[in-house]
Structure formats: structure tokens, C-alpha cells
């Protein structure tokens, strides 16, 4: 699970790996956080990492039946990754 930083998008991870990617047997997810990239806009003004964005990632993991995952993030994405690991 790759989590982008503030003002970025999941697609920004595309240049960070070498071919072949992912290694055999692995799946890589680089979703757009709510309100970023190709995600749907929302009416809420609360895009905080500590609340809404962490829930977006946790809900995605649950929907994909990911009981556990290796998670990486930069900037705000790093904060979200840390909170997910702690929770």
C-alpha cells in the first residue's frame, strides 16, 4: 500500500520502482486519497490525515480484504501510514 503526500496523487508513485513491478506474488495499491488525483470530491471541509484520510485507506483495505499490508507513505502519507500501523 503506497500513500501519497499532501497535494499529490497515487499516480505519483509510478516512477519510484524498477521493472518488473510488483515482484511475483505481490499486489501494489497506490490509491488517491479523498479529494486528490482522480478521487471523487466531497462536500466535507475536513481532509485531515488524523481522521478522514486514515479512514479512507482503512476502508479501502477492508474492501480489498487486506488483513495486513506493507505500507509506505511520504509527507502526509507517511503520517497516515504511521497512524494505520499504530491503530
Amino acid at each position: 500500500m503506497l500513500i501519497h503526500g499532501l497535494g499529490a496523487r497515487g499516480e505519483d508513485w509510478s516512477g519510484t520502482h524498477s521493472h518488473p513491478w510488483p515482484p511475483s506474488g505481490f499486489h501494489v495499491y497506490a490509491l488517491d486519497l479523498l479529494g486528490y488525483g482522480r478521487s471523487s470530491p466531497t462536500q466535507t471541509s475536513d481532509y485531515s490525515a488524523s481522521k478522514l484520510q486514515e479512514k479512507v485507506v482503512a476502508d479501502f483495505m477492508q474492501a480489498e480484504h487486506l488483513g495486513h499490508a506493507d505500507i509506505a507513505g511520504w509527507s502526509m502519507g507517511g503520517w497516515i501510514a504511521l497512524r494505520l500501523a499504530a491503530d
Side-chain angles (χ1 to χ4, degrees):
M1 175 70 62
L2 304 174
I3 307 172
H4 65 77
L6 183 67
R9 59 190 180 186
E11 190 175 329
D12 292 345
W13 285 99
S14 65
T16 62
H17 51 269
S18 61
H19 188 70
W21 185 261
S24 179
F26 288 86
H27 298 278
V28 177
Y29 300 93
L31 67 144
D32 289 325
L33 294 173
L34 190 60
Y36 297 91
R38 297 180 182 166
S39 70
S40 298
T42 181
Q43 297 299 320
T44 184
S45 60
D46 181 9
Y47 288 94
S48 70
S50 63
K51 297 177 185 173
L52 184 60
Q53 299 295 13
E54 179 186 5
K55 183 175 176 357
V56 167
V57 176
D59 289 350
F60 176 83
M61 291 177 66
Q62 185 176 29
E64 292 295 319
H65 307 290
L66 303 174
H68 66 279
D70 294 322
I71 302 173
W74 82 79
S75 186
M76 180 180 71
W79 185 20
I80 295 168
L82 179 63
R83 290 188 54 89
L84 284 166
D87 289 346

